[in-house]
Amino acid sequence: MPAAPSSYPRAVLFDLLTALLDSWTVWNTAAGSESAGRAWRAEYLRLTYGCGRYEPYEQLVRQAARACHLPDSAPAALEAGWHTLPPWSGARELLLALRPHCKLAVVTNCSQRLGHQAAALLGIEWDAVVTSEEAGYYKPDPHAYRMALDRLEVEPGGAAFVAGSGYDLFGTSRVGLRTYWHNRVGLALPQGAPEPELQSPTLDAALPWLRAFGAAPY
C-alpha cells in the first residue's frame, strides 16, 4: 500500500529555550542545584507571564534570583553559560528535516541579544527570530506569535507551533496555531490551558505530526 502523501505546514514556529534547547541545565548550574534552579526559573516565569508588556529580560532574571535568595553571581553565571545551551536530542535533526519543506521561525521570551545568540546555537538558517523584546510583549500574549507570522507572510492556519512550556498553549490557541508540546521535563498542564494537539517528552513524534499537517488533526 503506498504511503500517504506528505502535507507539511507552510511554516513551523518554535519556542527556543525549552522546546529546542536545554536551558534547564544551565539555570540549575548557575543556581548551584536543581532545586534552586527550578525555584528560580519558576519565579522568573511567574514574573514574565504576569507582566505582559516587555520589561528587560535580564532585569526580571535578577529580580527572580533575589526573590529566591540567590546571590548576584547566579544571574551572572547564567549569562556566562548562555553560549553553552545544549540542543535537546533530535532538535537539529528535526530542523534539518523540515528545512526543505517549511519556513522556520523562533518565538522566544528573551532579550533580542540573548535570543539571537541562542537561536544561532542550532546551526540552522532561520526565516525569522522573534524575541519578546522585539514584540514588546512576553508570551503568551499573542503579539510575538503574530509578529513571526507576519514576517513569514503565513496565516495561522498554515503554520504549526512546537512549544516547550504549557503556558505557550494560552497564546497559540488565541492565535489559532496547532501546537505540539515537547514536554521534556514532565511539567503539569497549567490550570486553564487548552490541551495541545500532541504532547510528548521527546521530539520524535514531531516530524510525523508535521508531515501529516494537512490531514485531519490528531
Side-chain angles (χ1 to χ4, degrees), residues 42-178:
E43 176 62 14
Y44 151 78
L45 290 173
R46 187 189 70 79
L47 292 173
T48 56
Y49 290 122
C51 70
R53 283 187 178 273
Y54 183 78
E55 296 179 17
Y57 174 82
E58 293 86 348
Q59 175 182 306
L60 294 182
V61 169
R62 290 192 299 269
Q63 184 177 338
R66 287 193 298 270
C68 294
H69 308 290
L70 292 174
D72 292 341
S73 58
L78 178 63
E79 185 163 340
W82 203 257
H83 69 285
T84 70
L85 289 166
W88 290 119
S89 60
R92 285 197 179 106
E93 293 82 355
L94 174 61
L95 294 170
L96 290 172
L98 292 173
R99 180 70 274 180
H101 306 287
C102 315
K103 295 180 179 181
L104 302 176
V106 157
V107 185
T108 181
N109 273 355
C110 199
S111 66
Q112 184 171 352
R113 176 177 62 89
L114 293 179
H116 283 260
Q117 181 180 324
L121 297 174
L122 275 305
I124 195 78
E125 182 181 350
W126 296 102
D127 296 290
V129 175
V130 173
T131 66
S132 51
E133 181 177 10
E134 293 167 276
Y137 291 83
Y138 280 104
K139 297 184 298 176
D141 185 279
H143 280 79
Y145 311 97
R146 289 174 179 153
M147 177 178 283
L149 291 169
D150 288 345
R151 289 186 180 178
L152 298 172
E153 299 182 323
V154 174
E155 293 296 320
F161 192 86
V162 178
S165 165
Y167 287 96
D168 264 310
L169 296 163
F170 290 105
T172 58
S173 64
R174 289 177 64 187
V175 174
L177 287 166
R178 290 166 58 182

Side-chain angles (χ1 to χ4, degrees), residues 174-193:
R174 289 177 64 187
V175 174
L177 287 166
R178 290 166 58 182
T179 303
Y180 179 107
W181 184 12
H182 176 206
N183 188 7
R184 195 73 177 212
V185 297
L187 299 173
L189 186 72
Q191 185 175 3

